[in-house]
Amino acid sequence: MQTTLSGIPINYIAEGLQNDCEEAIVLLHGWGSNIALFGQIIRHLSQYRRVYALDMPGFGESGEPQTPWGVDDFADCVLQFIEFCGIQRAILLGHSHGGRVSIKIANRQNLPFELTKLILVDSAGILPPKTLKKRLRQRCYKIGRTVLSVGAIQKMFPDALENLRNKHGSADYKSATPLMRQSLVKVVNEDLEPLLSNIQQPTLLIWGEDDTATPLSDGKRMEELIPDAGLVTVKNAGHYAFLDQWGTVRRVLDSFLGIPLNS
């Protein structure tokens, strides 16, 4: 289905039976991803709850924002989507970047709906420590970018700046459009750790033991800081724990959501 929010075409899914006594579940995907990766989760949970998922602006079949966005901008868009869908009570399930957006929403005052629970799967939000090697690499990149941005240098070596960006950028950065690259830089440089202690909702943390994008240490730190949080470590799983070990993740979700076992 399609709608328009803030002038941006938004692709979304709404499945499952509507039950006013139960919370709806809103799924928020990670950076560079889309709602298609939530297929198994949607098919399962929609048997018991109303499930919504949207391609956030710049991903999947949704349009790009007109200016570079930060985490708060993505949170604003999700809140508009929840209002558009008429959701009164909701559980947010955020993976990676979607977890980052969920943390922001959980910190908002006077939400237009009741946020009852939070599920963070391999969530982003904690800045990794900058080692000396990382600081030197970042410094060299900034110097190179400054030099290669000079007009005369650009004319002499027109591809040099882009090659430098590709060499130093992550896979997400390399695959993004110029505007979404600017958004990515804004997003990943915001540290959400100070916000974690403000989360009042019961929070389930699901983490792949072998996650290298948002390491298990991030999940442990979130468990320490979120007042009512529990961490489940998924063995033989990486950053996409719900894809690598769906059977395990399904059982964990069912337990947290009160879905009968063997359903």
Side-chain angles (χ1 to χ4, degrees):
M1 292 185 278
Q2 289 274 342
T3 188
T4 300
L5 300 174
S6 300
I8 302 171
I10 299 294
N11 179 58
Y12 72 97
I13 288 174
E15 295 189 6
L17 297 176
Q18 186 73 51
N19 185 341
D20 293 336
C21 296
E22 298 282 5
E23 310 100 318
I25 300 175
V26 181
L27 308 178
L28 304 178
H29 63 75
W31 192 275
S33 183
N34 55 67
I35 56 180
L37 268 68
F38 284 139
Q40 288 178 307
I41 294 178
I42 293 170
R43 285 191 294 273
H44 176 64
L45 294 183
S46 62
Q47 299 176 77
Y48 311 97
R49 304 288 180 91
R50 185 69 168 169
V51 179
Y52 298 86
L54 74 156
D55 283 334
M56 284 192 275
F59 305 101
E61 297 179 32
S62 292
E64 285 192 358
Q66 296 181 354
T67 58
W69 276 16
V71 185
D72 277 307
D73 298 301
F74 284 102
D76 288 342
C77 180
V78 172
L79 291 176
Q80 289 182 49
F81 174 73
I82 289 174
E83 184 176 7
F84 162 76
C85 293
I87 299 170
Q88 299 299 315
R89 303 177 70 231
I91 297 169
L92 294 182
L93 186 158
H95 171 248
S96 193
H97 172 62
R100 184 189 276 122
V101 175
S102 299
I103 293 168
K104 277 283 190 175
I105 292 175
N107 271 263
R108 293 288 181 91
Q109 299 295 317
N110 303 315
L111 289 172
F113 67 99
E114 181 185 357
L115 178 59
T116 60
K117 293 179 181 179
L118 212 58
I119 303 172
L120 304 178
V121 184
D122 298 299
S123 178
I126 293 181
L127 289 183
K130 287 188 177 181
T131 63
L132 177 60
K133 182 178 180 180
K134 286 183 179 179
R135 291 199 298 270
L136 289 174
R137 180 179 173 85
Q138 187 177 53
R139 179 64 176 165
C140 290
Y141 168 70
K142 288 182 177 180
I143 293 172
R145 184 182 61 188
T146 300
V147 171
L148 295 175
S149 296
V150 175
I153 301 296
Q154 282 189 322
K155 289 181 181 180
M156 294 174 60
F157 308 100
D159 299 325
L161 183 57
E162 184 64 19
N163 291 337
L164 178 69
R165 286 171 174 158
N166 288 333
K167 181 179 179 181
H168 286 263
S170 65
D172 285 336
Y173 185 87
K174 293 174 185 177
S175 61
T177 64
L179 186 142
M180 293 306 292
R181 287 180 176 181
Q182 295 178 63
S183 295
L184 179 60
V185 171
K186 293 183 68 173
V187 163
V188 301
N189 284 313
E190 183 171 358
D191 185 10
L192 303 189
E193 186 169 340
L195 302 182
L196 296 174
S197 61
N198 299 329
I199 296 175
Q200 299 303 311
Q201 293 77 13
T203 302
L204 170 63
L205 304 167
I206 301 177
W207 234 271
E209 185 178 42
D210 304 321
D211 190 342
T212 56
T214 53
L216 181 57
S217 58
D218 289 0
K220 293 178 179 179
R221 183 62 176 156
M222 289 188 182
E223 184 182 30
E224 291 175 2
L225 294 175
I226 299 173
D228 186 7
L231 172 65
V232 175
T233 302
V234 183
K235 294 186 178 298
N236 301 314
H239 189 55
Y240 292 85
F242 62 95
L243 295 179
D244 295 337
Q245 296 293 337
W246 165 238
T248 299
V249 171
R250 178 182 61 80
R251 290 190 293 273
V252 172
L253 290 175
D254 287 355
S255 176
F256 186 66
L257 297 173
I259 295 173
L261 297 177
N262 302 317
S263 56

